[in-house]
Amino acid sequence: MNLMALNPVVGAALIMRKQVAKRVAATERFQEQVALLAGQIKRTPAEVMTEAMVGLEEIVTVQSPAFAAAFDYGLGPLHTRAWTVDADETALAQLKRLNEHSALVYLPTHRSYADAFILSRLLRDHGMKRNHILGGNNLGFWPLGTIIRRSGGILIRRSFQKDEVYKLVVREYLAWLASQKLNLEWYMEGGRSRTGKLRPPKYGLLSYLVSAIQSGGADDMMLVPVSTTYDQMHEVGVMAAEEAGAPKAKENLVWLAGYARTQQKRIGTAYVRFGEPLSLREALERADHEGGGKWTVAKIAFEVFQRINECTPVTAPALVTFALLGVHERALTRTEVFEQVQPLLDYADARKLPGSGLAALREPEGVEETLHALVRAGVVSGYEGGTATVYKIEPGQHSVAAFYRNSAIHWFVNRAILELALLDATRDEITGPLERAWAAAFALRDLLKFEFFFNDKATFRDEQKAESRLIDPKFRQRAAGAKDRREILLNVPVLIAHRVLAPFLEAYFIVADRLAAQPVDAKIDKKALTEECVRVGRQYVLQQRLSNPECVSREVFSNALLLAANRDLLTPGAADLAQRRQAFADELAAAVKGIADIEELDRMRRGAKAAR
């Protein structure tokens, strides 16, 4: 077939991709790695090289100006026109200077299909280098895949854990790109977040870059944490439905057309923030100094995600949904929402949290504007038939509202843990040190370690002490006994544990409850157990045994199963397995009960305040 005659632009780009594949395969390093793998898997180097070439030709990319224009000016607006972009201009200027002598690896959050197009536009508009973006080959359908592969995108198979040759191809192609000091971009979460907060990182691609540096295939790369947060997203409703059990739509041309139609309506702002860049070589040297080991890559990924969280702003929709979700099915007036938001703003100010658009919430009109935006999106309903307009989460939209709340929820987790720990310490009538409270705080940290990104234990303890001083500057003196600790909780401006942790602890309880019901001599089918948790979770919410509909979440169930595996509760056969699984369920039931107690205490606090 004469490719140039068929389509000169496509043909030239395809020939260029094949030339790149041959160039990579011809390097001494690639051939050495092929020979090494051939010996390990008992095949000839020629056989491995033939298979590797197929993989290389599948994933290599070029940056054709014509296809880059199609990506930027054709596909880009289809995905991004729903938002005005608010970016950290100072950080972009610093990254541009850094990129003059260092290759950059952008590691953004993944919330929307628009993420890559928004970042690409920002880099282009600031005269910065184009990234080589890694994504899944589920986006390889025509014409999207054609444009992506020829504008710098690298589409790889969604799963290839058992394919040693393909793993070699991906690893060595990334090493080659790194050696050429070309910029990379991928989503370490492995897919779009269904809850609105960071998912646990996937380490595979990062481990390939680590291997490239350790083996001399590349000098260094700067890891750039990127946070993209949205006021609202058109696609979040579909993702929430998938979390609750709906099948995922297959990406194809019809899907792309439908997605583009939904993006026509403007729905707010996308906030792009950049965390402090991290030298991968320096991170590896530090890890070696500290002992290194098999957790080196995980620790680096963890640090990147912490830096992402540290630059993620608190937004107005996050705080308004925070307030509405905290009262379940009860409707609130504008004034009531305003009053619930003010102490959250005070807390954000006291912590000096990054925020965007929060000043407007200091006025009732600003709260009303955010409420109306959520009403227009169908997330919140407003009833105007009485003496005052009242607002509540629209039935079936709790997971959507939670998505917006969860974009900022990491900022409130330590405070929520302190409240629960302090409540636990009110049950101890012994006057004296707060050791029971600290023990309860560390137990909650361990329970949620696969859900949130906590600092090391010493730092966490310091953070808890800092939170206690925000509650009361003389906390240690005034928290001497159980009654004193309860009085402190009754007098804080706002209690938030039930607003922050309830859906996660309820989801974990569902998993622990169903795990305890499994035969101890049977292998756990995680997929089947997850689907059972979806069904039973819906039942428990309908029965009001659990209070938060958004607790029915496959993503959170998956994290709970990680915790169960970490506690060796999934492997069948142990003599005490039934008892340990039941103890796990009891622990979660107690945590859910603690959340309910905090919520009741909050009602008492608000009632006492209203009576004064």
Side-chain angles (χ1 to χ4, degrees):
M1 179 183 294
N2 189 332
L3 292 169
M4 297 298 291
L6 181 66
N7 186 315
V9 176
V10 175
L14 182 56
I15 291 171
M16 288 170 61
R17 288 182 64 227
K18 289 185 175 181
Q19 290 173 344
V20 171
K22 290 178 181 177
R23 194 184 316 159
V24 175
T27 63
E28 183 179 352
R29 176 186 170 90
F30 193 89
Q31 293 181 12
E32 288 176 350
Q33 294 299 313
V34 164
L36 181 62
L37 178 62
Q40 293 171 347
I41 62 176
K42 305 295 189 292
R43 294 174 63 183
T44 68
E47 289 175 335
V48 174
M49 179 61 81
T50 299
E51 186 176 334
M53 283 303 301
V54 174
L56 268 178
E57 292 181 1
E58 182 182 315
I59 70 170
V60 294
T61 183
V62 293
Q63 292 185 339
S64 160
F67 284 100
F71 184 95
D72 292 343
Y73 301 105
L75 293 175
L78 291 180
H79 286 76
T80 64
R81 60 165 50 103
W83 301 282
T84 301
V85 177
D86 178 329
D88 185 339
E89 301 287 335
T90 301
L92 279 165
Q94 292 171 344
L95 288 171
K96 186 174 182 179
R97 290 193 294 271
L98 182 61
N99 204 188
E100 291 174 1
H101 53 80
S102 299
L104 305 182
V105 180
Y106 292 85
L107 299 171
T109 55
H110 200 11
R111 302 292 175 269
S112 168
Y113 286 114
D115 295 335
F117 295 96
I118 288 174
L119 183 55
S120 292
R121 190 178 97 190
L122 280 175
L123 299 181
R124 181 195 71 219
D125 291 349
H126 286 78
M128 299 172 70
K129 293 180 183 177
R130 190 177 197 88
N131 293 341
H132 287 76
I133 308 172
L134 287 95
N137 64 357
N138 56 306
L139 299 178
F141 60 88
W142 184 89
L144 189 61
T146 302
I147 296 172
I148 290 174
R149 288 188 176 102
R150 290 157 180 80
S151 59
I154 304 168
L155 298 182
I156 60 177
R157 298 171 193 170
R158 301 291 287 179
S159 178
F160 50 92
Q161 289 183 341
K162 297 181 179 180
D163 190 332
E164 296 301 323
V165 176
Y166 193 78
K167 282 198 285 188
L168 178 147
V169 166
V170 176
R171 183 185 70 236
E172 293 307 313
Y173 183 49
L174 289 186
W176 183 81
L177 290 170
S179 71
Q180 305 298 304
K181 295 192 178 298
L182 298 171
N183 291 349
L184 298 171
E185 175 187 336
W186 75 81
Y187 303 98
M188 276 209 298
E189 294 173 274
R192 292 173 299 155
S193 170
R194 262 60 176 177
T195 63
K197 69 174 189 62
L198 279 174
R199 305 173 74 182
K202 306 292 186 183
Y203 306 129
L205 295 176
L206 181 61
S207 70
Y208 293 162
L209 283 188
V210 167
S211 174
I213 290 177
Q214 290 176 331
S215 63
D219 179 29
D220 191 15
M221 302 194 85
M222 299 297 296
L223 307 182
V224 182
V226 185
S227 167
T228 306
T229 308
Y230 299 86
D231 277 341
Q232 294 183 46
M233 288 167 41
H234 290 302
E235 66 207 80
V236 70
V238 174
M239 290 195 295
E242 291 170 0
E243 272 298 275
K248 185 179 184 294
K250 184 179 180 180
E251 290 93 346
N252 52 33
L253 191 57
V254 174
W255 164 85
L256 179 62
Y259 181 83
R261 281 195 301 273
T262 65
Q263 295 299 98
Q264 302 300 309
K265 180 182 176 183
R266 290 193 173 273
I267 51 172
T269 301
Y271 307 93
V272 184
R273 301 292 184 264
F274 301 90
E276 182 183 353
L278 174 66
S279 162
L280 185 52
R281 177 170 289 281
E282 289 180 8
L284 288 171
E285 290 172 352
R286 185 168 66 250
D288 287 342
H289 180 72
E290 295 171 353
K294 65 178 182 178
W295 301 112
T296 293
V297 175
K299 288 179 179 178
I300 294 172
F302 185 87
E303 185 168 354
V304 169
F305 274 37
Q306 282 187 312
R307 295 186 185 200
I308 288 174
N309 273 338
E310 287 168 1
C311 70
T312 299
V314 181
T315 66
L319 291 191
V320 169
T321 51
F322 197 113
L324 289 172
L325 285 165
V327 296
H328 304 303
E329 297 302 318
R330 186 163 68 89
L332 301 176
T333 65
R334 181 191 73 171
T335 299
E336 288 174 321
V337 176
F338 175 78
E339 290 174 349
Q340 297 229 11
V341 165
Q342 298 315 297
L344 299 176
L345 290 171
D346 293 340
Y347 177 78
D349 288 345
R351 288 275 311 276
K352 295 182 171 56
L353 303 184
S356 194
L358 298 186
L361 297 183
R362 288 296 187 183
E363 300 296 332
E365 292 76 15
V367 170
E368 186 172 45
E369 183 179 343
T370 302
L371 284 167
H372 286 175
L374 291 167
V375 169
R376 289 193 297 271
V379 180
V380 171
S381 60
Y383 174 72
E384 300 177 349
T387 58
T389 304
V390 292
Y391 302 90
K392 63 176 290 190
I393 304 298
E394 183 75 17
Q397 294 296 302
H398 290 77
S399 292
V400 176
F403 187 97
Y404 301 132
R405 175 199 62 196
N406 290 349
S407 68
I409 204 167
H410 60 281
W411 289 117
F412 299 90
V413 170
N414 277 347
R415 168 61 179 271
I417 286 177
L418 178 63
E419 290 177 4
L420 281 173
L422 195 58
L423 178 68
D424 187 75
T426 66
R427 301 184 175 102
D428 187 351
E429 294 298 334
I430 299 174
T431 300
L434 285 165
E435 288 312 312
R436 175 163 175 162
W438 298 132
F442 278 105
L444 284 164
R445 176 185 179 274
D446 185 72
L447 198 61
L448 295 166
K449 64 186 177 184
F450 291 101
E451 200 64 53
F452 301 102
F453 294 88
F454 295 107
N455 280 311
D456 61 80
K457 291 183 177 180
T459 304
F460 175 76
R461 188 179 181 105
D462 289 340
E463 290 168 345
Q464 287 291 294
K465 290 179 179 179
E467 288 290 346
S468 72
R469 290 190 292 271
L470 284 177
I471 287 178
D472 190 323
K474 296 183 178 180
F475 178 84
R476 287 195 66 83
Q477 299 94 310
R478 293 178 177 171
K483 291 182 180 178
D484 303 308
R485 297 159 195 169
R486 184 178 178 86
E487 194 65 27
I488 287 174
L489 288 171
L490 283 169
N491 284 300
V492 297
V494 62
L495 289 169
I496 64 171
H498 56 295
R499 304 169 191 269
V500 174
L501 298 180
F504 302 100
L505 291 174
E506 288 183 349
Y508 277 46
F509 167 74
I510 295 167
V511 171
D513 176 71
R514 301 325 303 153
L515 185 58
Q518 305 303 309
V520 294
D521 57 349
K523 183 179 179 181
I524 294 295
D525 182 331
K526 292 181 182 179
K527 184 176 181 181
L529 181 58
T530 298
E531 295 310 309
E532 181 179 343
C533 289
V534 169
R535 296 191 301 271
V536 175
R538 287 176 183 163
Q539 172 197 326
Y540 287 175
V541 170
L542 289 170
Q543 291 176 304
Q544 296 188 356
R545 292 177 60 180
L546 300 175
S547 303
N548 298 270
E550 67 269 28
C551 74
V552 182
S553 166
R554 285 189 172 94
E555 193 162 294
V556 184
F557 292 159
S558 176
N559 295 339
L561 285 170
L562 288 174
L563 178 65
N566 179 255
R567 295 190 176 187
D568 195 23
L569 297 175
L570 302 185
T571 305
D576 63 343
L577 183 57
Q579 292 87 345
R580 289 190 292 112
R581 284 179 176 176
Q582 187 57 52
F584 185 48
D586 292 342
E587 181 183 3
L588 266 304
V592 171
K593 175 63 165 57
I595 286 289
D597 290 344
I598 282 282
E599 187 167 8
E600 178 59 30
L601 206 63
D602 193 41
R603 279 195 287 267
M604 292 172 58
R605 182 195 59 79
R606 286 187 279 110
K609 180 180 178 182
R612 286 198 291 265

